[in-house]
Amino acid sequence: MLASRSVRVSEMAAALPPSHGRLFHQAKALYRFLSNPRVGWEGILQRVCEESTAALGGGEVLVLLDLSPVSKPYARAMEGLGRVGKGRRPGYELLTALALDPEGRLALGYAHLVAYREKGFVSLPREVEKAVEGVRGRIGGRGRRLVYVADRGFDDRKVFSQVLGLGEGFVIRVYRDRKLEEGVSLKEAVASLPLASRGEVRLKLGGRYQGVGVRLGWREVEGRRLSLVVCRVPALGRRGEWWLLTSLPVRGREEALRVVEVYRKRWEVEGFFRFLKAGLGLESFQVRGLLRIRKVVAILLGLAVWVWEVERAGGPFKELLLRLGGKVGLASERDGLYLLLRGLVRWLNHLATQEFLEAEGGGGSCG
């Protein structure tokens, strides 16, 4: 699956040299794996979550909630298909909770492929409740505080109440047409809020991270239980105004900037989902049956988390994969997830070739 960068077995077969076509009976193992009832997607995800979250450190961990459409525009008979995304195309939605510790380690705290027409599906808010419960059970407690960070798709009072009931914090970008508890519209609250403070955050502009000036304003809302932080980023144009509702204390400029920084870190992992889709083909694989589809998604999530951590941690193994991926050392060259993936594919191909030669009595040497 990885070496071909596709889970379409027909493409894997077409890529083989004719002389090795007879060996492709081994591809049946892939079919057997996807069909094996003793290896479920839940078990794969549980292992990915356990292995990745075990390395998390620090007394505060950010939980980045995301709901990403997994479009299957040409599918018609796939199980549980609904209409997803802005174009309302056939597909599913991937609900994830990525955990980020103070050192920048990324872990998978929860994941579920939501199928809206699946038998037994209740509602998306209920799925979000399960995600919050799952993350809390896996990485919460033990003197650690979780702060849930989300975009406007999670602007829901039930989410706020659930997180507050667990004694955790949240920073959520809210819709502009929402009503506050005291009956004031959010637009009215922001209109009377001067953005008198200035600060700086690091954002990726023009392909690189740099310090960007922002203007800030804040006020208490919901009977002083929550705070509203408004941040305007002139460099982003129309996209650069964030209305953030938070349970974190905001009593001055530094605490308001911290809320903005917490939300900004959610932007950092957008590359994770781009890599999952463009690099690992999350939307391109062709497998029938919801259980099989979820099994493939679980594997791809585990691989994405692993490659992301290799890129973050650095070291000799990363440099080896980058060299195998084609890095030549130019000043303008960028280290990236896609280069690491290409290097990983070549490394695995080498291991497979070595194993084949050893089995054929070639001593494991290509020379």
Side-chain angles (χ1 to χ4, degrees):
M1 290 167 61
L2 174 61
S4 69
R5 297 185 68 183
S6 170
V7 294
R8 287 181 283 192
V9 177
S10 60
E11 289 186 1
M12 295 168 68
L16 283 174
S19 59
H20 291 129
R22 60 185 177 84
L23 299 176
F24 202 70
H25 67 276
Q26 297 176 9
K28 292 180 180 178
L30 175 58
Y31 285 120
R32 289 197 297 269
F33 172 75
L34 293 177
S35 302
N36 188 348
R38 293 177 297 176
V39 183
W41 62 272
E42 299 99 329
I44 298 172
L45 271 180
Q46 181 178 347
R47 184 64 181 272
V48 172
C49 291
E50 289 175 352
E51 292 290 334
S52 60
T53 57
L56 292 173
E60 182 176 277
V61 172
L62 304 184
V63 179
L64 313 177
L65 296 172
D66 186 85
L67 187 66
S68 182
V70 180
S71 177
K72 297 292 182 183
Y74 304 110
R76 293 296 179 270
M78 293 176 71
E79 184 181 355
L81 277 178
R83 295 283 175 175
V84 299
K86 293 182 179 179
R88 307 306 297 165
R89 294 185 294 179
Y92 307 98
E93 287 196 301
L94 181 59
L95 175 61
T96 55
L98 296 173
L100 189 68
D101 75 5
E103 298 298 320
R105 299 183 189 91
L106 188 74
L108 184 66
Y110 180 90
H112 182 63
L113 188 71
V114 179
Y116 289 106
R117 294 186 179 180
E118 179 184 13
K119 184 178 180 181
F121 173 77
V122 178
S123 67
L124 184 58
R126 177 55 189 147
E127 295 296 334
V128 175
E129 288 178 17
K130 290 180 183 178
V132 173
E133 292 167 0
V135 173
R136 168 69 178 180
R138 181 164 285 119
I139 63 176
R142 302 185 297 277
R144 174 183 287 162
R145 189 187 189 201
L146 305 182
V147 177
Y148 294 83
V149 188
D151 233 323
R152 286 175 290 195
F154 295 86
D155 180 5
D156 190 311
R157 288 189 183 276
K158 289 184 178 180
V159 176
F160 307 156
S161 299
Q162 183 184 12
V163 172
L164 292 174
L166 293 171
E168 311 289 11
F170 67 79
V171 175
I172 298 180
R173 188 176 178 183
V174 289
Y175 285 109
R176 301 191 177 196
D177 59 353
R178 76 154 24 254
K179 293 285 187 180
L180 298 174
E181 193 175 75
E182 50 263 36
V184 179
S185 73
L186 200 61
K187 286 184 178 180
E188 293 172 339
V190 172
S192 61
L193 184 63
L195 305 185
S197 294
R198 296 179 181 271
E200 184 177 282
V201 297
R202 286 184 60 79
L203 290 175
K204 194 171 186 179
L205 295 175
R208 64 185 181 87
Y209 281 97
Q210 54 187 292
V212 176
V214 298
R215 297 171 60 187
L216 298 165
W218 60 90
R219 58 166 290 183
E220 294 176 330
V221 295
E222 302 282 339
R224 297 187 176 181
R225 293 184 303 118
L226 305 176
S227 294
L228 174 66
V229 176
V230 177
C231 174
R232 185 171 296 156
V233 189
L236 294 179
R238 295 179 61 185
R239 298 184 302 128
E241 187 160 297
W242 306 335
W243 298 6
L244 307 174
L245 193 65
T246 181
S247 63
L248 302 180
V250 182
R251 295 178 291 265
R253 173 182 171 277
E254 294 304 317
E255 291 179 334
L257 269 175
R258 178 175 178 265
V259 170
V260 174
E261 178 66 14
V262 166
Y263 176 72
R264 183 199 66 83
K265 287 185 177 180
R266 188 193 175 283
W267 279 41
E268 287 187 357
V269 300
E270 289 297 321
F272 176 88
F273 296 102
R274 286 195 297 271
F275 175 65
L276 194 60
K277 290 185 177 183
L280 298 179
L282 178 65
E283 294 183 314
S284 64
F285 68 82
Q286 296 178 9
V287 175
R288 288 190 177 183
L290 191 53
L291 295 181
R292 292 182 177 187
I293 293 169
R294 283 181 171 145
K295 194 178 294 187
V296 172
V297 170
I299 294 169
L300 295 182
L301 279 168
L303 179 58
V305 170
W306 185 83
V307 174
W308 185 277
E309 181 58 19
V310 169
E311 199 277 335
R312 184 203 67 85
F317 184 61
K318 175 185 174 181
E319 292 304 315
L320 170 64
L321 293 186
L322 288 173
R323 289 179 63 185
L324 288 174
K327 182 179 179 180
V328 295
L330 299 176
S332 60
E333 203 169 30
R334 296 179 182 175
D335 299 349
L337 299 173
Y338 300 93
L339 207 59
L340 286 172
L341 180 62
R342 188 189 308 164
L344 179 61
V345 169
R346 290 180 176 175
W347 182 56
L348 292 178
N349 282 336
H350 165 74
L351 294 180
T353 302
Q354 191 174 41
E355 182 180 347
F356 172 77
L357 291 174
E358 289 175 350
E360 294 293 314
S365 175
C366 299

